[in-house]
Amino acid sequence: MAQRVVYFNSQFLPEKEARVSIFDSALMFGDMAFEMTRTYQRKPFRLREHLERLYGSLRLLEIDCGLTLAEMERATLETLERNLPTEAADMDWQIMHDISRGPLDIYRTAFPEGLRPTVSINCWPLITHMGRFAPNYDSGVNLVIPAQQTLAAHLVDPKAKTRSRLHYQMAQLQAKRMGANAWPVLLDPDGFLAEGPGWNLFLVKNGVLFTPEPRNILLGVSRATTLELARELSVPVRETNLGRYEALQADELFCTATTYALVHAVTFEGQRVGDGQPGSVFQRLMQAWKRLVGVDFVEQARTYAQRLPAWEKGEQQAGAGRAIT
């Protein structure tokens, strides 16, 4: 079977040969914009929206990657196309864009070819993400408030998706100590609910769908899709400041993200949300999501979970074989 390849600075390289310099600004400062898109039926879902956000992040970071958005889109589709034959026809994919301004100028003598931005696009089979995530669709997740807060927008604007994410990592480490399957919801500097590390938050009260206002959060593509679907279902929507109080009074709580679309919360701060089961609004949105993407991604995740051990063993054996040769 063919090996996965990566688009790396205008070339297609075997995945294991793509390397970022130790002198890269991404390593020195976390100075890198990124995006993660997934496929449904091997077609990228809302790729244009993800790329538009990527280019918005690049503009804020003052990075010129050397490609127009249209050129980046073409390179992305070609990268995916080259990787599709490496997996079964029912495999969906993560598509990752990582772009930094490249090696720091102080190290330019180590780069006789000249300095340029680092641009990479890689594809990874979603079996690892979704196979491991599958149990959450049934069990739900437990939301907690960690000590770590999100960054204020006047410090680092959260609307830009960058690799400067130490606060996310700290929140996840703190949540891990707070109980099994605990997911951290970061507060903003004013004490309102903001977001989780890589996901957005929604709550339902009396049939109305609420979500934190955009001031101190990443504007998730899945968040926007969920709001769009809610309006199509005639579910009233409010983007507003939300605190612990509102979350504790909620009939439903759930999270949205690119890989898994949406998952319900069973508890918030140790207290049960509703009856602990997926609520009616959540269930309607779940069905609307499945219709929109044309995939029952819950069943897909369960199938991936069954196949994951054999897939990982095959990956390890293939990696060992390549190392020997």
Side-chain angles (χ1 to χ4, degrees):
M1 183 174 286
Q3 298 179 33
R4 289 187 297 272
V5 297
V6 175
Y7 175 95
F8 192 82
N9 289 345
S10 302
Q11 301 180 68
F12 287 98
L13 304 175
E15 187 177 80
K16 289 185 175 295
E17 293 181 18
R19 295 288 183 268
V20 176
S21 169
I22 61 170
F23 302 121
D24 200 278
S25 186
L27 182 63
M28 298 294 186
F29 293 111
D31 179 21
M32 174 177 271
F34 81 102
E35 274 295 325
M36 200 277 273
T37 309
R38 71 156 287 173
T39 69
Y40 289 102
Q41 301 183 86
R42 307 207 301 177
K43 303 295 183 184
F45 179 67
R46 302 206 163 172
L47 176 61
R48 179 55 67 115
E49 285 91 331
H50 279 283
L51 292 181
E52 287 173 349
R53 186 171 62 180
L54 174 65
Y55 276 72
S57 300
L58 291 173
R59 183 167 185 176
L60 184 71
L61 298 182
E62 301 183 35
I63 296 174
D64 179 359
C65 70
L67 297 172
T68 66
L69 194 151
E71 290 170 336
M72 183 69 76
E73 186 173 46
R74 288 195 293 272
T76 302
L77 295 174
E78 183 176 356
T79 305
L80 176 62
E81 191 66 28
R82 286 172 178 255
N83 282 289
L84 290 180
T86 68
E87 292 289 344
D90 65 347
M91 184 66 72
D92 270 313
W93 294 81
Q94 165 194 284
I95 305 170
M96 187 74 74
H97 294 80
D98 285 298
I99 302 174
S100 80
R101 73 185 71 250
L104 300 183
D105 184 73
I106 194 172
Y107 302 111
R108 67 167 47 251
T109 55
F111 302 91
E113 72 279 10
L115 301 180
R116 60 176 176 175
T118 300
V119 180
S120 71
I121 308 169
N122 70 75
C123 296
W124 185 265
L126 271 176
I127 189 169
T128 55
H129 297 69
M130 299 304 293
R132 294 171 185 172
F133 186 86
N136 292 316
Y137 284 122
D138 295 319
S139 66
V141 298
N142 300 304
L143 302 183
V144 296
I145 304 291
Q148 177 66 55
Q149 291 187 331
T150 192
L151 301 182
H154 70 274
L155 297 176
V156 177
D157 197 317
K159 298 177 190 66
K161 192 164 186 175
T162 76
R163 290 298 186 188
S164 297
R165 292 189 147 198
L166 181 59
H167 60 300
Y168 279 1
Q169 177 73 332
M170 296 305 299
Q172 292 183 119
L173 292 172
Q174 292 163 7
K176 189 175 182 180
R177 295 193 295 271
M178 298 170 75
N181 209 19
W183 284 30
V185 182
L186 283 72
L187 301 180
D188 72 15
D190 295 317
F192 294 112
L193 303 172
E195 61 187 355
W199 48 267
N200 290 115
L201 177 71
F202 287 84
L203 67 83
V204 178
K205 183 64 177 177
N206 296 329
V208 179
L209 183 65
F210 293 87
T211 194
E213 66 174 27
R215 182 168 50 102
N216 285 316
I217 63 172
L218 180 70
L219 300 180
V221 174
S222 297
R223 174 184 184 273
T225 302
T226 300
L227 291 172
E228 173 189 312
L229 292 174
R231 293 184 176 106
E232 291 178 1
L233 294 171
S234 298
V235 175
V237 172
R238 304 283 186 273
E239 296 179 80
T240 186
N241 287 323
L242 300 166
R244 279 188 172 94
Y245 180 87
E246 287 78 15
L248 289 168
Q249 311 308 312
D251 302 317
E252 306 176 38
L253 279 169
F254 63 90
C255 317
T256 62
T258 293
T259 49
Y260 56 80
L262 63 172
V263 65
H264 74 286
V266 177
T267 64
F268 177 82
E269 289 283 80
Q271 299 192 43
R272 189 165 295 278
V273 178
D275 63 2
Q277 300 300 312
S280 60
V281 173
F282 174 86
Q283 292 183 60
R284 292 172 64 196
L285 286 168
M286 175 69 85
Q287 293 307 313
W289 260 96
K290 291 177 182 179
R291 288 193 298 270
L292 176 66
V293 302
V295 173
D296 185 338
F297 44 83
V298 176
E299 284 304 314
Q300 181 187 58
R302 290 169 179 156
T303 299
Y304 286 175
Q306 294 173 354
R307 290 162 47 184
L308 181 58
W311 184 90
E312 289 183 324
K313 183 177 181 179
E315 282 281 296
Q316 291 168 352
Q317 291 175 340
R322 287 192 293 268
I324 292 172
T325 58

